[in-house]
Amino acid sequence: MGGDRTMGGGGGEPDLERVARRDDAVRAAVEHGLLTPGHPIVALLDVPGIRASAAALRAAFDAVTPPGTPVLHAFAVKATPLVPVLRLLREQGIGAEVASPGELALARAAGIPPARTVLDSPAKTLAELREALALGVAINADSPQELDRIDAMVRSAATDSPIGLRVNPQVGGGSIEALSTATATSKFGVALRDDGARAWIVRAYADRPWLTRLHAHSGSQGMPLSLMAQGVAETYALAEEINRHVGRRQVDTIDIGGGLPVNFGSDTTTPTYAQYARLLAEVAPGLFDGRYGLVTEFGRSLLAKHGTVLARVEYAKSAGGRAVAITHAGVQVATRTVYAPGAWPLRIAAYDAKGRPKTGPDVVQDVAGPACFAGDLLAEGRALPLLEQGDHVAALDTGAYYFAHHYGYNSLARPGIYGFAPTGDDDAGGAGGEGGMRFAVVRGPQTLDEIVAESGGAHGPSLTAL
């Protein structure tokens, strides 16, 4: 296969099993007719790969915590808000971190119990807080004003919800400002280094015996592991200070957030959960001595490597001496890449009309999407085997924050999403065996009637009647 398959990724070896599974799935998707003239784009999710990521996460923290330590791995639903995905993760021992009523509804629809659900958000409404407290969902308060709201609620009604406070350790930002949540002026949490803030936090816990958790999340993509670990270490030190002040182990659980970066440059998984867990154990060993329960909130790192967007090349042309492949994958499924290509470059793989890895000399070319603006490019000036009409392109590492977050530019339809597993994987489920793969529908392709309905079709005359 041509393109960026071997582009450097910062150490480690590529996951050749995952690459082979992806190639088989692309070929099977074409043979099985998942792409049609009416649906020339699909999204594919690697079910065995997702299972393997969940197992790696559990194993990484099992290796650094004493037996019996309470550890909840809560998947950040925002990363891939799809009920079948949440159900799959639930069966792998993963809970849910939610940040809106919609995400909580998705977690409940997937059967994730409230006791394995965490509610975070900087703008929780009274109704959200009441629902979470009634269900027993864990809550991390984001501000003093939110803590005041919770005060009134816990005085008036008993709850089983573990309650904590999110702090901003203010350790600095990474290379992507929008995803750096531990800067001096971040909108998240109580800024730990602001004047008087630390003393206020300690008093807040002393005044509220039911405040038993402490939460921090320093950022995600673009954050160096050292800075993430520093944020966790600062939070652990604060928990120790609170417990010394109150004279007992009031803070019994530390929520370290998620944010493990993803290597988008190659098929190598780096950094790994094991590397991060070992680093945390080095910088904050007391966090892993059995005195504290742990919560993690990983999202992108669990799913990104296991998703692929596959689209047909509708036309091939040239402009200014450069080849341009016009495809059906663009801003609607890869919004971040199109609008911020420097921060979010994607690898592109070339497949022929039958879904086989395309070979041939590399040609510098653009891979364009279908939207009506010039910047709708998946890749610009990329060296790939020359893409021709009827070929296919695959946008790799798109299992999180891509095709599940449809952007309705030009009223382009949401693609169908399908999970896949080799026919020999007895746990996979689903139907269809062409190409040695079974497929299961995760979300069907959007219809034109659905687009019209979502665009106010039932209220067509409403404005003309005013």
Side-chain angles (χ1 to χ4, degrees), residues 2 75 83 85 112 117 191 195 215-216 237 252 262 268 288 357 432 450:
F75 174 67
V83 171
V85 168
I112 298 173
T117 304
D195 288 344
H215 170 48
D252 59 20
V262 168
T268 301
F288 299 92
E450 289 170 335

Side-chain angles (χ1 to χ4, degrees), residues 445-456:
Q446 187 181 31
T447 67
L448 296 182
D449 286 344
E450 289 170 335
I451 291 176
V452 172
E454 290 182 7
S455 300

Side-chain angles (χ1 to χ4, degrees), residues 419-439:
F420 66 84
T423 54
D425 184 346
D426 293 334
D427 297 326
E434 288 79 351
M437 284 286 164
R438 290 186 291 174
F439 292 95

Side-chain angles (χ1 to χ4, degrees), residues 48-378:
I50 295 171
R51 289 192 174 111
S53 280
L57 172 58
R58 296 194 314 269
F61 282 85
D62 285 348
V64 297
T65 53
T69 300
V71 179
L72 170 62
H73 298 297
F75 174 67
V77 173
K78 65 181 73 67
T80 310
L82 297 166
V83 171
V85 168
L86 303 182
R87 179 69 176 264
L88 174 64
L89 290 172
R90 187 202 80 184
E91 292 183 352
Q92 302 305 305
I94 308 297
E97 183 268 337
V98 301
S100 72
E103 289 183 357
L104 178 56
L106 294 178
R108 297 186 70 189
I112 298 173
R116 299 187 62 77
T117 304
V118 181
L119 173 62
D120 295 318
S121 162
K124 304 180 197 73
T125 65
L126 286 166
E128 288 177 72
L129 292 170
R130 288 193 189 101
E131 180 183 24
L133 291 169
L135 290 171
V137 168
I139 299 173
N140 289 314
D142 196 78
S143 67
Q145 290 174 329
E146 184 181 329
L147 196 55
D148 288 342
R149 286 183 171 182
I150 296 172
D151 270 336
M153 292 179 186
V154 298
R155 282 197 299 266
S156 62
T159 179
D160 293 326
S161 293
I163 301 171
L165 180 68
R166 177 170 181 170
V167 297
N168 170 11
Q170 294 176 296
V171 294
S175 61
I176 303 177
E177 183 178 357
L179 298 188
S180 298
T181 55
T183 58
T185 57
S186 171
K187 73 178 186 179
F188 292 101
V190 177
L192 188 54
R193 299 182 183 182
D194 281 14
D195 288 344
R198 194 178 193 99
W200 178 87
I201 292 169
V202 173
R203 287 196 307 273
Y205 277 80
D207 293 341
R208 299 168 177 84
W210 44 263
L211 204 53
T212 60
R213 291 189 172 187
L214 198 59
H215 170 48
H217 172 75
S218 295
S220 53
Q221 195 66 22
M223 288 290 290
L225 291 192
S226 58
L227 213 56
M228 293 170 58
Q230 184 184 346
V232 172
E234 298 258 358
T235 308
Y236 162 73
L238 177 60
E240 292 281 272
E241 181 179 343
I242 292 168
N243 287 345
R244 284 194 304 269
H245 180 81
V246 300
R248 61 188 180 89
R249 193 169 65 94
Q250 178 174 324
V251 177
D252 59 20
T253 301
I254 297 180
D255 184 335
I256 66 171
L260 191 73
V262 168
N263 162 34
F264 286 97
S266 79
D267 282 303
T268 301
T269 299
T270 180
T272 65
Y273 293 122
Q275 290 168 336
Y276 185 43
R278 288 194 297 267
L279 175 60
L280 292 176
E282 290 172 7
V283 301
L287 181 57
F288 299 92
D289 63 10
R291 291 178 298 129
Y292 290 97
L294 292 174
V295 177
T296 73
E297 300 177 355
F298 296 103
R300 178 182 291 106
S301 54
L302 271 166
L303 266 292
K305 286 289 182 187
H306 309 303
T308 300
V309 171
L310 181 65
R312 189 176 68 234
V313 177
E314 194 68 38
Y315 299 107
K317 59 170 72 171
S318 65
R322 178 179 291 179
V324 181
I326 306 297
T327 80
H328 291 275
V331 72
Q332 85 278 28
V333 289
T335 312
R336 286 177 168 177
T337 293
V338 168
Y339 285 127
W344 298 101
L346 284 176
R347 293 182 298 137
I348 305 297
Y351 294 88
D352 67 16
K354 294 185 177 180
R356 300 169 302 192
K358 186 153 192 181
T359 58
D362 284 348
V363 175
V364 174
Q365 57 198 297
D366 292 349
V367 180
C372 287
F373 68 99
D376 186 28
L377 299 171
L378 278 184

